[in-house]
Amino acid sequence: MTKTHVWRKPDGMSIIFVLLGVIILLFIFAPLLKTVVSSSPGVLWNTLLDEEVYSSILLTIYAAMIATLVGLFLGVPLAYLLARRQFWGKRFLEGLIDIPIVIPHSAAGVALLFVFGSNFLAGEVFHTIGISFFNSVAGVVIAMIFVSIPFLIDSAKEGFKTVDVRLEKVARTLGASPWRSFFRVSLPLAWRSIFSGSVMMWARGASEFGAVLILAYYVPFFGHYARVAPILVADRFASFGLEYAQPVTAIVILISLIVFISLRTIAYRGEKA
Amino acid sequence: MTKTHVWRKPDGMSIIFVLLGVIILLFIFAPLLKTVVSSSPGVLWNTLLDEEVYSSILLTIYAAMIATLVGLFLGVPLAYLLARRQFWGKRFLEGLIDIPIVIPHSAAGVALLFVFGSNFLAGEVFHTIGISFFNSVAGVVIAMIFVSIPFLIDSAKEGFKTVDVRLEKVARTLGASPWRSFFRVSLPLAWRSIFSGSVMMWARGASEFGAVLILAYYVPFFGHYARVAPILVADRFASFGLEYAQPVTAIVILISLIVFISLRTIAYRGEKA
Amino acid sequence: MIAIKNLKVDLGDFLLQNIDLEINSGEYFIILGPTGAGKTVLLEAIAGLYPVLEGEVWIDGREVTRLSPEKRRIGIVYQDYSLFPHLSVEGNIAFGLRLRKYPKASIKEKVNAIAEIVGVTHLLERKPQTLSGGEQQKVALARVLVTEPEVLLLDEPLSALDPETKERMQSTLKELHRRVGVTIIHVTHDFEEAVALGERVAVLNNGCIAQVGAPEEILRQPSSEFVAHFALSRNIFTGKAEEGEDGHACVDVGGIKLRAITELKGKVRLSLRPEDIIISKEPLHSTARNCFEGVVSDIAHRGAVVYVTVNLPPDFICLITRQSFEELGLREGVKVWITFKASAMHVF
Amino acid sequence: MIAIKNLKVDLGDFLLQNIDLEINSGEYFIILGPTGAGKTVLLEAIAGLYPVLEGEVWIDGREVTRLSPEKRRIGIVYQDYSLFPHLSVEGNIAFGLRLRKYPKASIKEKVNAIAEIVGVTHLLERKPQTLSGGEQQKVALARVLVTEPEVLLLDEPLSALDPETKERMQSTLKELHRRVGVTIIHVTHDFEEAVALGERVAVLNNGCIAQVGAPEEILRQPSSEFVAHFALSRNIFTGKAEEGEDGHACVDVGGIKLRAITELKGKVRLSLRPEDIIISKEPLHSTARNCFEGVVSDIAHRGAVVYVTVNLPPDFICLITRQSFEELGLREGVKVWITFKASAMHVF
């Protein structure tokens, strides 16, 4: 049986709201779609085989992954503390964590260089153990962490908040140390939020342009020199114009979409809507 | 009376989690702080008086504001629909709205140019009414909207979700049309989330570098030519190096922080933590 | 008159269907059913707030099935009252009038008048969050009554209140209905509430209407096991209350006069729980003020207890233990005395 | 033995303070108090889950105030049971054993043994979300009992259950306590529950302990108005139950034998609501199985009703209307008969 609702004239507000919604969705997707379909698959494939392109994509994926792993290690504990502890100035601190999202990325790059550049404090410390951040993969990673870690912290925090603190308390009385209670109860129950935060962090890191441009424009990567994909796109556009930049833009957008959508699907698989 | 808890040795996990949290906070704030305090107030003041700097900052603030207003007009209705209506593929659509966050910004710029460039469809339509997007303030605005509107939509959606739908239903039976019910009940009750989403959108728009770089690098603005602040920072760094880029970076970071923190404070004023 | 014809509504898990109801103007109508039977959705469908699949809704001879809710002149009060948290009590009550763009003075006057009637005049400046449940309830009633709806829908209006407030609000509702004369459709899962307030009751089960009728009809002639389950455990009588001796009330229920505790006069109903009645072979002289002779007319065994119906007339249903039952040697036709305390009766 | 010495805990709005308690090993101890009196926080402070400001907690002669919760051997069951949603019932019960790294076979054996005792053997493969409230309760008990705690803390364990399940779980708790012999501290706001289960009761009000003692003590000698408010409305007796005539039970409560409906034998307690007692000048012959002569020993007026204490001995508190009271001409020292149905008594 098909359900047929008794017909009622849709009210004016619904119609206008849907129209405005369609405009915004078109505004977001028309450019992406147009860019992706403007090249034939053959051209896209040849572009992908261009060594400069594929090493750039590999560098981006790799560096964003390292950034996300570091983010998990450093950010999840902070997220847990923010979800569980009450302390003076917490609301302010939570606001501060969003700041990397709103600092101009080029300014963030300059600021990072001020600390991690080889003739500055943190930079020198790392330099003695052989890590340099200027024009190196480590620099790409640092820039990515900076701009993307708020997404992971916020999402993990919300995840931990949904875990009833009594479950942890019960685990403690059953004999679990704080570590055990964290790894056996809190973490498994918050994993979905942590994972989806990681996906956001990874994707946001991979999309970073400004901070990476300043800190690590051109970096040695597995015997070659490479640029992250967002820089490659901008360079091709600056050097050769729109037409020539189009195929590599299409590839970068496609890969972003495919990875992001499939990871999100995994994150929400089996969850009731 | 001061409250003194019976002393218990803090457990190892808390100590380590706090340490990791401090590392991440240091990582975020040390660069910003160092950049800001490295110049004397006098140098900062002189930098601010540099015409190139202040017109750049005005352009950034102005364009981000226009972008946010457009975002409110187009995005809030969509947020309302997403909060209230159930439809097939809604979860997928909600995921799609986050895509501008994860698309490399330079690629987003290229993609936008593919639609809004003067020899492309939308660009031509607007061209006939005298609006051009390539190297114009309109282009800056378009780029900012693209990368920042997800923040407003997500926040407004969460805000509308917290408004009990029965309040709207009651308003309807009391004689309110859908419009009246929206403006008299839903909007006032969700305003805090919408406002704080607007702050995020404004700040994120003002921080945009990659997409603006591609679309509107240098634009006519009140009789002069100007670049948005993130581009100015990157240009000074590229042309003159770290030392010379530092004061303008400090100014841009300071202004971002001041505006962001004060608007956030307004948004949460009077709310119980 | 409200007519609901063959209404069908999608509840997600199941369908509300074959709903046919006629509710008279000015009637206090109860829709009774267990939680999750779709009672709230039925109300919302009547108000135009929930889409219907099939069927029609008529109010006073005009079909409103396709009319938007703001044009139906149907008010609704939800279980949680749904006061606007951003408005004061005064702002809540005036909401509907301001929408209609009444002059300011007239709004003020109407708001004060209705506030007086429901008794919230002293609360007008307060915010809804600072009110107790009973007060919120009254404000919600004032807010909808001030717009003079033709029909008032009440969605479990008493279930969130503590027992004492509940009783007071029952009287308030009854009083309001008398004074304002609006048609009321009141949804509840509480049989006692249905009996106390309803002129007619529709029993809703599993998305269908199981029975419609006066409370006594539902009680004495349940059309199904399901309805009987709601009704079996209660003695309910209609009678005429008057001043008795010693200042206590006396209720004539057709043949016998019951001593009861009540301030009410005239036509009343009263209920009596079966377990509050003592059966004996001889009359008892005690603090229990009611003692009557009757004939056992029906016996129903229920495990360790027995339901004995004693006809005076009317029928009284009594609950006794199996041991007492056997000791008394009860069977149909036997003469017995029944005794119950005046305070055991609920008069309304 | 658990000793709590001068405990002080910060509840945010107010302080829990001057808490001094001694609870014997193997005792079933009740902490009784209204909602929001800080009962849960007190339990958490005992378990080491909530920071204390001052004072000491001792278990069996060792001070544990500074000990972390996992080292205290104190189990807790929360009101909502707090089962781990990502583990099966079996995984929940085995949680504590797996932490202790017991061999697999031994874990399996212990889990099965405790599942048998609480009666959840058939549920081991299920996920907690699919269980009813009563089942979740049992699993929560099994999960904590399998770790053999010295003390078991129960936080309003019955308040989320429907009345029927509640009664069954009361028996289960009593039975478990008898079999396992663990010390239990059970928090509740329900006086009847406290009386039904507790060997001793501490009444908590406003962050302080108002009274500690056996349930009858709390009842007969309330130390304050507040405690009396909890206790006044109940008749509670301790007695010895034995087989009576005709197969029904007979409970000797020191002097008089009450006819009751119960399967229990030996030492029992029973409660009787004051409003279930009829007072008369002459003995009544009726289905009510209990009728005794006594002397009015106390009269307390409460508006339209009167509490009359009748001493047989023991004292029975009866609730009658003011009209009945006046009609009977009651005053202290007058001889009266009291009558109540066997089924009106609750034996436990």
Side-chain angles (χ1 to χ4, degrees):
Chain A
M1 194 196 81
T2 46
K3 292 172 185 170
T4 51
H5 286 225
V6 163
W7 184 85
R8 193 200 291 171
K9 214 181 81 189
D11 59 85
M13 189 175 93
S14 298
I15 295 171
I16 289 177
F17 274 28
V18 168
L19 279 179
L20 292 175
V22 168
I23 290 177
I24 200 75
L25 291 172
L26 272 181
F27 172 68
I28 292 178
F29 295 106
L32 300 180
L33 214 67
K34 173 125 196 251
T35 308
V36 169
V37 300
S38 287
S39 299
S40 69
V43 172
L44 288 183
W45 184 245
N46 283 333
T47 309
L48 194 56
L49 293 183
D50 176 348
E51 195 225 299
E52 208 180 28
V53 172
Y54 74 72
S55 65
S56 159
I57 286 171
L58 286 181
L59 168 65
T60 311
I61 291 177
Y62 172 78
M65 214 176 65
I66 304 285
T68 306
L69 291 178
V70 175
L72 281 170
F73 179 69
L74 293 176
V76 169
L78 180 61
Y80 181 76
L81 290 179
L82 289 174
R84 283 286 177 259
R85 301 290 171 92
Q86 298 305 322
F87 50 85
W88 186 88
K90 183 177 156 187
R91 157 81 80 192
F92 186 70
L93 189 65
E94 289 178 312
L96 290 187
I97 285 168
D98 282 346
I99 280 180
I101 298 177
V102 305
I103 291 284
H105 305 136
S106 51
V110 172
L112 283 170
L113 209 52
F114 251 96
V115 170
F116 290 99
S118 48
N119 38 357
F120 296 99
L121 181 70
E124 273 201 79
V125 171
F126 280 97
H127 195 74
T128 57
I129 58 167
I131 298 178
S132 163
F133 295 97
F134 189 65
N135 283 346
S136 75
V137 174
V140 176
V141 170
I142 287 279
M144 286 178 171
I145 295 174
F146 186 87
V147 298
S148 63
I149 201 165
F151 293 94
L152 175 57
I153 294 177
D154 285 347
S155 180
K157 185 181 74 183
E158 293 308 316
F160 284 125
K161 274 188 185 166
T162 64
V163 178
D164 186 353
V165 67
R166 293 189 163 184
L167 294 175
E168 295 171 8
K169 290 185 171 179
V170 165
R172 295 295 302 278
T173 59
L174 291 174
S177 65
W179 288 110
R180 292 268 189 99
S181 147
F182 179 75
F183 281 106
R184 296 228 180 170
V185 177
S186 326
L187 210 52
L189 288 172
W191 87 268
R192 197 185 293 277
S193 297
I194 295 171
F195 184 74
S196 94
S198 305
V199 173
M200 277 302 282
M201 177 167 180
W202 180 89
R204 177 66 191 80
S207 76
E208 180 52 21
F209 171 50
V212 177
L213 181 72
I214 303 277
L215 206 60
Y217 171 66
Y218 215 50
V219 304
F221 180 61
F222 287 111
H224 300 272
Y225 273 80
R227 289 164 282 193
V228 295
I231 295 182
L232 182 70
V233 168
D235 278 358
R236 293 240 169 149
F237 173 75
S239 315
F240 310 103
L242 190 56
E243 292 309 318
Y244 188 67
Q246 188 270 327
V248 66
T249 308
I251 293 248
V252 166
I253 289 175
L254 264 179
I255 292 178
S256 296
L257 290 185
I258 290 169
V259 175
F260 181 67
I261 290 174
S262 34
L263 288 178
R264 274 277 263 243
T265 309
I266 292 173
Y268 288 110
R269 194 177 45 193
E271 191 194 52
K272 284 155 215 138
Chain B
M1 194 197 79
T2 45
K3 292 172 187 172
T4 51
H5 285 225
V6 163
W7 184 85
R8 193 200 290 170
K9 214 182 81 189
D11 58 85
M13 190 175 91
S14 297
I15 296 171
I16 290 177
F17 274 27
V18 169
L19 280 180
L20 292 175
V22 167
I23 290 177
I24 200 75
L25 291 171
L26 272 180
F27 172 69
I28 292 178
F29 296 106
L32 300 181
L33 215 66
K34 173 124 194 254
T35 308
V36 169
V37 300
S38 286
S39 299
S40 70
V43 172
L44 289 183
W45 184 245
N46 284 332
T47 309
L48 194 55
L49 294 183
D50 176 347
E51 194 226 299
E52 208 180 30
V53 172
Y54 74 70
S55 65
S56 158
I57 286 170
L58 287 180
L59 168 66
T60 311
I61 290 177
Y62 173 79
M65 214 177 64
I66 302 286
T68 306
L69 291 177
V70 175
L72 282 169
F73 180 69
L74 293 176
V76 169
L78 180 61
Y80 182 75
L81 290 178
L82 289 174
R84 283 286 178 259
R85 302 291 170 92
Q86 299 305 320
F87 50 86
W88 186 88
K90 182 176 158 187
R91 157 82 80 191
F92 186 69
L93 189 65
E94 288 178 312
L96 290 187
I97 285 169
D98 281 346
I99 281 181
I101 298 176
V102 304
I103 291 286
H105 306 136
S106 52
V110 171
L112 284 170
L113 208 50
F114 250 97
V115 170
F116 292 99
S118 48
N119 39 358
F120 296 99
L121 182 70
E124 273 200 80
V125 171
F126 280 98
H127 195 74
T128 57
I129 57 167
I131 298 177
S132 162
F133 295 98
F134 189 65
N135 283 347
S136 75
V137 175
V140 176
V141 170
I142 286 280
M144 285 178 171
I145 295 175
F146 186 87
V147 298
S148 64
I149 202 164
F151 293 95
L152 175 57
I153 294 177
D154 286 346
S155 181
K157 184 181 74 185
E158 293 308 316
F160 284 125
K161 275 189 184 166
T162 65
V163 179
D164 186 352
V165 67
R166 293 189 163 185
L167 294 176
E168 295 171 7
K169 290 184 171 179
V170 165
R172 294 296 300 281
T173 59
L174 292 174
S177 66
W179 288 108
R180 291 267 189 99
S181 149
F182 179 75
F183 281 106
R184 295 227 179 171
V185 177
S186 326
L187 210 53
L189 289 172
W191 86 268
R192 197 187 292 278
S193 297
I194 294 172
F195 184 75
S196 93
S198 305
V199 173
M200 276 303 282
M201 178 166 180
W202 181 88
R204 178 64 191 83
S207 77
E208 179 51 22
F209 172 49
V212 178
L213 182 71
I214 303 277
L215 207 59
Y217 170 65
Y218 215 49
V219 304
F221 180 61
F222 286 112
H224 301 274
Y225 272 80
R227 289 164 283 194
V228 295
I231 295 182
L232 183 70
V233 168
D235 278 357
R236 293 239 167 149
F237 173 75
S239 316
F240 310 105
L242 192 56
E243 291 310 317
Y244 187 65
Q246 189 271 326
V248 66
T249 307
I251 294 242
V252 167
I253 289 176
L254 266 179
I255 292 177
S256 296
L257 289 184
I258 290 169
V259 175
F260 181 68
I261 291 175
S262 34
L263 288 178
R264 273 278 264 241
T265 308
I266 292 172
Y268 288 110
R269 194 176 45 191
E271 191 193 55
K272 283 154 216 138
Chain C
M1 200 187 73
I2 302 165
I4 294 161
K5 295 180 184 169
N6 196 27
L7 202 72
K8 188 179 210 169
V9 180
D10 180 10
L11 289 180
D13 295 341
F14 66 108
L15 290 171
L16 199 66
Q17 57 189 336
N18 302 327
I19 305 293
D20 279 288
L21 286 175
E22 297 210 340
I23 297 153
N24 301 319
S25 290
E27 191 170 15
Y28 202 121
F29 193 84
I30 299 270
I31 295 174
L32 177 69
T35 315
K39 305 191 295 294
T40 301
V41 168
L42 177 54
L43 285 194
E44 292 194 343
I46 295 172
L49 297 166
Y50 198 96
V52 303
L53 292 176
E54 279 173 28
E56 294 168 9
V57 180
W58 292 70
I59 301 178
D60 288 335
R62 56 182 181 133
E63 202 202 329
V64 299
T65 323
R66 281 160 196 78
L67 213 60
S68 60
E70 65 268 27
K71 291 175 187 146
R72 294 198 182 191
R73 301 181 56 77
I74 298 184
I76 191 163
V77 174
Y78 282 107
Q79 182 172 3
D80 56 1
Y81 322 129
S82 297
L83 299 178
F84 302 125
H86 58 308
L87 301 177
S88 67
V89 167
E90 192 270 340
N92 267 278
I93 299 178
F95 189 88
L97 302 175
R98 297 212 169 111
L99 286 174
R100 287 174 181 73
K101 305 216 184 297
Y102 280 50
K104 273 201 175 168
S106 152
I107 290 180
K108 202 173 160 61
E109 193 182 306
K110 279 170 186 279
V111 167
N112 286 338
I114 196 75
E116 184 78 25
I117 289 177
V118 300
V120 295
T121 308
H122 58 297
L123 304 172
L124 286 177
E125 303 304 315
R126 301 259 292 275
K127 278 291 185 106
Q129 304 87 294
T130 68
L131 305 182
S132 72
E135 290 168 342
Q136 288 188 42
Q137 170 91 281
K138 288 179 181 174
V139 174
L141 284 169
R143 180 177 62 178
V144 60
L145 288 174
V146 81
T147 64
E148 294 170 10
E150 284 170 24
V151 185
L152 179 55
L153 309 177
L154 305 177
D155 177 25
E156 303 251 8
L158 305 174
S159 65
L161 301 173
D162 59 90
E164 204 185 324
T165 315
K166 198 169 188 158
E167 206 142 308
R168 267 193 292 113
M169 280 311 300
Q170 262 188 20
S171 316
T172 307
L173 282 178
K174 209 151 190 176
E175 175 64 18
L176 270 180
H177 180 240
R178 238 172 251 163
R179 280 180 75 163
V180 181
V182 64
T183 310
I184 292 183
I185 305 180
H186 172 139
V187 143
T188 182
H189 63 266
D190 182 342
F191 186 73
E192 220 153 318
E193 198 174 304
V195 166
L197 290 167
E199 293 170 27
R200 283 195 306 145
V201 176
V203 182
L204 197 67
N205 183 29
N206 237 330
C208 296
I209 289 179
Q211 191 172 1
V212 183
E216 284 108 308
E217 223 177 302
I218 304 284
L219 181 76
R220 311 248 168 251
Q221 295 137 21
S223 67
S224 66
E225 182 99 8
F226 174 80
V227 176
H229 169 81
F230 259 162
L232 182 67
S233 56
R234 297 277 179 282
N235 291 292
I236 297 176
F237 306 102
T238 311
K240 203 162 151 291
E242 53 194 37
E243 194 91 7
E245 324 133 34
D246 326 343
H248 70 260
C250 176
V251 182
D252 187 329
V253 293
I256 63 164
K257 293 194 174 195
L258 305 178
R259 293 170 184 213
I261 301 170
T262 177
E263 304 280 293
L264 296 178
K265 294 280 164 291
K267 196 185 165 198
V268 296
R269 264 177 289 175
L270 44 80
S271 75
L272 174 62
R273 298 172 63 92
E275 58 271 36
D276 288 339
I277 304 174
I278 293 172
I279 299 181
S280 58
K281 291 287 207 177
E282 304 293 329
L284 305 179
H285 299 288
S286 68
T287 53
R289 307 289 306 251
N290 294 288
C291 191
F292 302 99
E293 194 177 18
V295 176
V296 174
S297 65
D298 188 43
I299 292 168
H301 291 275
R302 292 277 181 278
V305 297
V306 183
Y307 281 95
V308 178
T309 307
V310 179
N311 180 261
L312 309 194
D315 281 340
F316 283 79
I317 298 167
C318 318
L319 174 66
I320 62 174
T321 64
R322 181 180 288 274
Q323 286 160 2
S324 304
F325 174 77
E326 280 162 11
E327 193 176 14
L328 288 165
L330 296 184
R331 51 196 166 69
E332 283 184 33
V334 161
K335 283 197 173 179
V336 292
W337 289 80
I338 58 171
T339 308
F340 46 94
K341 300 172 88 169
S343 59
M345 276 183 298
H346 178 61
V347 182
F348 48 88
Chain D
M1 200 185 74
I2 303 166
I4 295 160
K5 297 181 182 167
N6 197 29
L7 202 71
K8 188 180 211 170
V9 180
D10 181 10
L11 289 181
D13 295 341
F14 67 107
L15 290 171
L16 198 66
Q17 56 190 336
N18 303 327
I19 305 293
D20 279 288
L21 286 175
E22 297 212 338
I23 296 153
N24 300 319
S25 291
E27 192 170 15
Y28 201 121
F29 193 86
I30 298 269
I31 295 174
L32 178 68
T35 316
K39 306 190 297 294
T40 301
V41 168
L42 177 55
L43 284 194
E44 291 194 344
I46 295 172
L49 296 166
Y50 198 97
V52 302
L53 291 175
E54 281 174 27
E56 294 169 8
V57 180
W58 293 70
I59 301 177
D60 289 334
R62 57 182 180 134
E63 201 202 330
V64 300
T65 324
R66 282 160 197 77
L67 212 60
S68 59
E70 64 270 27
K71 291 175 188 145
R72 293 197 184 193
R73 302 181 56 77
I74 297 183
I76 191 162
V77 174
Y78 283 107
Q79 182 172 1
D80 56 1
Y81 322 128
S82 297
L83 299 179
F84 301 125
H86 58 310
L87 301 177
S88 67
V89 167
E90 193 270 340
N92 267 279
I93 299 178
F95 189 88
L97 302 175
R98 296 215 168 109
L99 286 174
R100 287 175 181 73
K101 305 216 185 295
Y102 281 50
K104 273 199 177 169
S106 151
I107 290 179
K108 202 171 159 60
E109 192 182 307
K110 279 171 187 276
V111 168
N112 286 337
I114 196 75
E116 185 76 24
I117 289 176
V118 300
V120 295
T121 308
H122 58 298
L123 305 172
L124 286 177
E125 302 305 315
R126 302 259 293 273
K127 278 292 185 104
Q129 304 88 294
T130 68
L131 304 183
S132 72
E135 290 169 342
Q136 289 188 43
Q137 170 91 278
K138 288 179 181 173
V139 174
L141 284 169
R143 179 177 63 178
V144 60
L145 288 174
V146 80
T147 64
E148 294 169 11
E150 286 172 22
V151 185
L152 180 54
L153 309 177
L154 305 177
D155 178 26
E156 303 252 8
L158 305 174
S159 65
L161 301 173
D162 60 88
E164 204 186 325
T165 315
K166 197 170 190 158
E167 206 142 308
R168 268 192 291 114
M169 280 312 299
Q170 262 188 20
S171 316
T172 307
L173 281 177
K174 208 153 193 177
E175 175 65 19
L176 270 180
H177 180 240
R178 237 172 253 163
R179 280 180 75 163
V180 181
V182 64
T183 311
I184 292 183
I185 305 181
H186 172 139
V187 144
T188 181
H189 63 267
D190 182 343
F191 186 72
E192 220 152 319
E193 197 174 304
V195 166
L197 290 167
E199 294 171 27
R200 283 195 307 146
V201 177
V203 182
L204 197 67
N205 182 31
N206 237 331
C208 296
I209 289 179
Q211 191 172 1
V212 182
E216 284 108 310
E217 223 176 302
I218 305 283
L219 182 77
R220 312 248 168 249
Q221 295 137 22
S223 66
S224 65
E225 180 100 8
F226 174 79
V227 176
H229 169 80
F230 259 162
L232 181 69
S233 56
R234 297 279 179 280
N235 292 291
I236 296 176
F237 306 101
T238 310
K240 205 164 149 289
E242 52 194 38
E243 194 90 9
E245 324 134 33
D246 325 345
H248 70 261
C250 176
V251 182
D252 187 328
V253 294
I256 63 164
K257 293 195 174 195
L258 305 179
R259 292 169 186 212
I261 300 170
T262 178
E263 304 279 293
L264 295 178
K265 294 282 164 290
K267 197 184 165 199
V268 296
R269 265 177 289 176
L270 43 81
S271 75
L272 175 61
R273 299 171 62 92
E275 58 271 36
D276 288 340
I277 304 175
I278 293 173
I279 299 181
S280 57
K281 291 286 205 180
E282 304 293 332
L284 305 179
H285 298 287
S286 68
T287 53
R289 308 289 308 248
N290 294 287
C291 190
F292 302 98
E293 193 177 20
V295 176
V296 174
S297 64
D298 188 44
I299 291 168
H301 291 276
R302 292 278 181 280
V305 297
V306 184
Y307 281 94
V308 179
T309 307
V310 178
N311 181 261
L312 309 194
D315 282 340
F316 282 77
I317 298 166
C318 318
L319 174 66
I320 61 175
T321 63
R322 181 180 287 275
Q323 286 159 1
S324 303
F325 174 78
E326 279 161 12
E327 192 176 16
L328 286 165
L330 295 184
R331 50 196 168 69
E332 283 184 34
V334 163
K335 282 199 173 177
V336 293
W337 289 81
I338 59 171
T339 307
F340 46 94
K341 299 173 88 169
S343 58
M345 276 184 299
H346 177 61
V347 183
F348 49 88

